[in-house]
Every structure is written in C-alpha cells, then in structure tokens.
Amino acid sequence: MESLDAEGWARLFNDCQVSACHLEMRDHYAVAEELADIEKWRAGMWGPEQDAESKAGWLDLMRATTARGVRIRRTRIVSEPVSEYIRFEHEGTPQNIAAGEEVRWLPRVRASGLSLPGNDCWIFDRTTVLFNHFTGDGGWVGNELSTDLDVAELCTDAFESAWRLGIPHSEYTVPRPAS
C-alpha cells in the first residue's frame, strides 16, 4: 500500500483523458489535514471562503482537469440522519461544484440493492482504480492502485449504479438528527 502525495494525485488527474469518478461510502473521515478545519466549523468560524482556501490546491487541480474536458463526478453514499462530518462536507460541496465537479448524494437506504466495492475509490477513464483505505475510525491508511480491467469494470458499474440513484447536490437537503 502506498500514500500518494500531491504530485501523485496531480499525475493521475493530468493523465486522465475522459472521466474521473469518486465513490465515497463512509459517514466519517478523520484525515489529519481536515481536523483543524472541522474544529473551526464546529466553532462557527468556517464558511465558503475558509473552505475554498483550505482546499485550494485540490480545487485548482479540479479546474485544470475539467478545463481539459475531463468530466469529474462524485457520489457520496450516506446514512441518514447524516453524521456531523457529512454536514461539514455538504456545506463545503459548493466549492467543489464551482471547480467543475458534479456531486450527487445517495441515502444509504436506497443503495441496498447495489453491488459495491469494499473501499472508497476513484476510477480514472474506466481503466484505473485508486482505492482509498481508512481505519475503522476514519483515519487515513493509504492508497492501492489497480489497473486490472475486471476491477475497473466492477468499480465503474458500481459507481454508475450509485450515480443513477443519487440526488444532485442542488436538490439534496441534509436531514438533521431528531432533537
């Protein structure tokens, strides 16, 4: 297993010619680079400007990739009511969309009939899959790259099935927990 640095991520997107699809299936991520951002969000000291600044490198990469004509889509499968992390992520999604990503949300109860890979993944041009591995509490473990065409087909089919059932970001309202 490896962990891609910013250059490795950029290379995957720069080499991509047609499409990059991200399937996210966790309700909580605890990656180190977001922890301070989430604390500021909890304290009410976080908004679109801070979010865009925090992920500026990523947003620049998305703009450059979509400017070349690559379609970038993301489907997030979420439990409802959503976790605190998903509320944070939902509030930051407009910056991703402004950078060219298309984002849909799929309530987990609507995903029961889908065959899904065991891990979150990025699928590049339907031929390369980058699996993202996390600990049970959402900490980052690393990446696993696969160019096995059977694996790519499985992940592509899973993504497309989830995408069809997903709700566009502009139409998805985050359900709040009952008080």
Side-chain angles (χ1 to χ4, degrees), residues 4 7-16 68 124 128 130 145:
L4 292 180
E7 186 177 299
W9 280 100
R11 188 171 32 259
L12 283 170
F13 283 94
N14 291 336
D15 290 347
C16 190
R68 293 187 296 104
F124 298 93
T128 302
L130 181 72
L145 193 64

Side-chain angles (χ1 to χ4, degrees), residues 136-156:
D137 63 2
W140 179 250
V141 174
N143 306 106
E144 175 187 355
L145 193 64
S146 175
T147 55
D148 180 317
L149 292 180
D150 290 333
V151 171
E153 182 179 12
L154 174 122
C155 292
T156 299

Side-chain angles (χ1 to χ4, degrees), residues 69-141:
V70 175
R71 186 177 185 197
I72 300 175
R73 295 181 294 159
R74 183 186 298 259
T75 300
R76 293 174 169 147
I77 299 175
V78 297
S79 300
E80 293 179 324
V82 300
S83 67
E84 178 187 57
Y85 181 86
I86 295 300
R87 286 195 316 272
F88 167 77
E89 194 172 50
H90 187 269
E91 287 182 26
T93 297
Q95 284 67 252
N96 296 71
I97 292 170
E101 290 186 37
E102 299 172 55
V103 179
R104 290 190 180 179
W105 300 85
L106 177 58
R108 194 170 308 280
V109 297
R110 293 176 57 184
S112 296
L114 300 181
S115 293
L116 299 168
N119 296 289
D120 287 13
C121 60
W122 276 97
I123 308 138
F124 298 93
D125 291 335
R126 298 176 169 254
T127 61
T128 302
V129 179
L130 181 72
F131 290 104
N132 297 312
H133 296 287
F134 300 90
T135 63
D137 63 2
W140 179 250
V141 174

Side-chain angles (χ1 to χ4, degrees), residues 152-166:
E153 182 179 12
L154 174 122
C155 292
T156 299
D157 290 349
F159 177 85
E160 294 299 341
S161 295
W163 181 258
R164 280 191 296 278
L165 293 174

